[in-house]
Amino acid sequence: MAEAYQTQRQEEINRLDNEDGRIRRTGTMWTASAHIITAAIGFSVLSLVWDIAQLGWIGGPIVVILLSMVILYTSFLLVNCCTTGDDITGKRNYTYSDAIHSNLGGRKARIYGPFQYLNLFGIAIGCTVASSNSMMAIRRSNCYHEKGRQSPCHISSDPYMIIFGIIQIIFSQIPDFDQIWWLSIVAAVMSFVYSFIGLILSIIQVVGNGRFKGSLTGISVGSITRTQKIWRILRSLKDIAFAYSHPIILVEIQATINALPLSEAKVMKKATFFSVAVITFFYIVCGCMGYAAFGGDSMPGNLLTGFGFYNPFWLLDIANAAIVIHMIGACQVFCHQLFAFIEKWVNGAWPNSTCVATVARGAIKKLLSNCL
């Protein structure tokens, strides 16, 4: 018994990070890149076609590149805030709120922290809506194939939102953020899948048209009013900026990296540069090719769910299924920080309740034994 206990205790010690007593970090540049790509490339890569159509061939790519440079610069600044003091031996900040507390003070952390969690909550809602739209798009695509494009094919989104919520409940049982690296990799791969499908279909459409549609300045005043033009430009700027949404969880992603004896900041900067470069490439290529395929007047809000394409319907089904899988991973990447905050708050409110602590951790296997 004594030997078994010592062995178990040694295993627990080996799992701890020698620096701060937390679970040993196992993240690398590639897992961090997967988290960033999963968080950034989402439904927006297919919706950016509409944004490019408002800005035109000149403004669209320029705005995407400029905003990517701004995001990259601000991300590097944020990476430097992940440790207080020396990059290797200094105090490590594990959350965005920790970084605010260490650099700006506890009062500002209490002010700014809720805004982060509200933002994460809103992103989770967006993932739910986006996934249900893709599930409905699969049903509509098959309906159009069977009954023709003139069929209404009305489908309710409620069952699909419920299905997505149940899936999220299951995956939320993963205890720590660094343990969902495999889900982020799968989600990142899925983002490449549906982006490539949208790109290929756009190229086929351009070949069928025999020319590149679109104009240098986007949709011109005349087809829309001057006020609508200004409003759409502002909306496009907002959409493109929102497409780079990963900095909100950048501190939490860096906290998963184990680069000792090197600095995690250097590894994270490499991962951020690589990820932003990949994201920007896909945004420009997919957005511009979609604009070339449809121009401005007939531009769908989304290439795959707005039915810019109808055939081959099975390829659209694959693309929308990939979107759903990606949204599952993206929602977990964002929501794990929200789960951790709620768990910390619940444990602080009821420190002596084993049942409450177990529910907060989401440990279903231990729930019956501790609460019943």
Side-chain angles (χ1 to χ4, degrees):
M1 292 291 294
E3 293 179 359
Y5 174 80
Q6 290 295 334
T7 301
Q8 181 180 2
R9 179 59 180 162
Q10 187 62 43
E11 290 178 353
E12 292 176 356
I13 293 175
N14 290 338
R15 292 178 62 243
L16 296 178
D17 187 351
N18 295 328
E19 299 172 30
D20 45 27
R22 290 176 176 257
I23 299 298
R24 184 177 297 277
R25 292 168 287 116
T26 58
T28 65
M29 170 188 164
W30 301 111
T31 59
S33 299
H35 288 317
I36 294 173
I37 291 173
T38 298
I41 294 185
F43 217 57
S44 55
V45 70
L46 302 172
S47 302
L48 282 180
V49 178
W50 185 90
D51 300 314
I52 297 294
Q54 312 312 312
L55 301 172
W57 283 111
I58 297 177
I62 290 177
V63 168
V64 173
I65 293 174
L66 288 178
L67 286 178
S68 70
M69 295 173 64
V70 171
I71 290 296
L72 185 62
Y73 176 72
T74 55
S75 296
F76 281 179
L77 294 178
L78 190 57
V79 166
N80 292 331
C81 296
C82 290
T83 54
T84 303
D86 186 77
D87 287 345
I88 298 178
T89 61
K91 177 183 176 295
R92 181 172 290 101
N93 300 310
Y94 284 89
T95 65
Y96 191 83
S97 296
D98 290 343
I100 295 176
H101 188 279
S102 298
N103 292 276
L104 300 178
R107 183 178 179 181
K108 290 184 173 62
R110 288 190 292 271
I111 295 174
Y112 299 145
F115 289 100
Q116 181 198 16
Y117 298 122
L118 285 174
N119 199 346
L120 293 175
F121 182 74
I123 292 174
I125 295 175
C127 290
T128 304
V129 174
S131 64
S132 64
N133 286 340
S134 291
M135 294 181 196
M136 289 190 298
I138 294 174
R139 286 285 306 276
R140 285 201 301 268
S141 175
N142 295 334
C143 178
Y144 290 148
H145 178 71
E146 295 174 359
K147 301 180 181 180
R149 299 182 186 178
Q150 304 304 320
S151 177
C153 295
H154 294 304
I155 300 170
S156 174
S157 63
D158 294 343
Y160 301 105
M161 290 187 180
I162 294 173
I163 292 172
F164 185 81
I166 293 173
I167 294 173
Q168 290 304 317
I169 291 174
I170 295 173
F171 279 103
S172 66
Q173 306 311 309
I174 301 175
D176 296 304
F177 183 68
D178 60 344
Q179 294 182 22
I180 65 171
W181 61 268
W182 60 271
L183 186 59
S184 289
I185 291 177
V186 172
V189 171
M190 291 299 103
S191 68
F192 294 147
V193 169
Y194 64 73
S195 297
F196 273 121
I197 291 176
L199 177 61
I200 292 171
L201 292 176
S202 297
I203 293 174
I204 293 175
Q205 183 71 27
V206 170
V207 173
N209 295 336
R211 64 185 181 91
F212 280 69
K213 292 186 176 182
S215 64
L216 295 178
T217 57
I219 298 177
S220 59
V221 176
S223 56
I224 58 175
T225 65
R226 188 181 300 274
T227 302
Q228 289 176 323
K229 176 69 173 179
I230 296 174
W231 176 254
R232 289 189 178 192
I233 290 176
L234 294 176
R235 178 183 167 184
S236 299
L237 295 176
K238 180 267 297 181
D239 290 343
I240 297 174
F242 182 76
Y244 293 95
S245 56
H246 64 274
I248 194 173
I249 57 171
L250 201 65
V251 176
E252 288 81 357
I253 293 175
Q254 183 169 337
T256 66
I257 296 177
N258 184 4
L260 294 175
L262 301 177
S263 167
E264 284 87 5
K266 294 181 180 180
V267 176
M268 191 63 189
K269 287 180 179 179
K270 291 180 181 179
T272 303
F273 181 83
F274 171 78
S275 302
V276 171
V278 172
I279 293 166
T280 303
F281 172 79
F282 272 92
Y283 283 172
I284 291 178
V285 172
C286 293
C288 289
M289 285 307 302
Y291 183 41
F294 292 96
D297 298 333
S298 58
M299 178 60 59
N302 184 286
L303 284 180
L304 299 178
T305 61
F307 287 93
F309 303 104
Y310 290 88
N311 289 302
F313 77 98
W314 56 268
L315 189 59
L316 294 175
D317 291 348
I318 293 175
N320 280 294
I323 293 176
V324 173
I325 297 173
H326 178 228
M327 288 298 104
I328 292 173
C331 190
Q332 283 298 310
V333 168
F334 284 109
C335 285
H336 247 72
Q337 315 316 313
L338 192 59
F339 297 157
F341 168 75
I342 295 173
E343 176 185 339
K344 182 179 179 180
W345 177 80
V346 169
N347 287 333
W350 294 279
N352 299 322
S353 174
T354 305
C355 176
V356 170
T358 303
V359 174
R361 287 194 300 269
I364 290 180
K365 292 182 179 180
K366 296 180 181 179
L367 181 61
L368 295 178
S369 61
N370 287 337
C371 299
L372 299 179

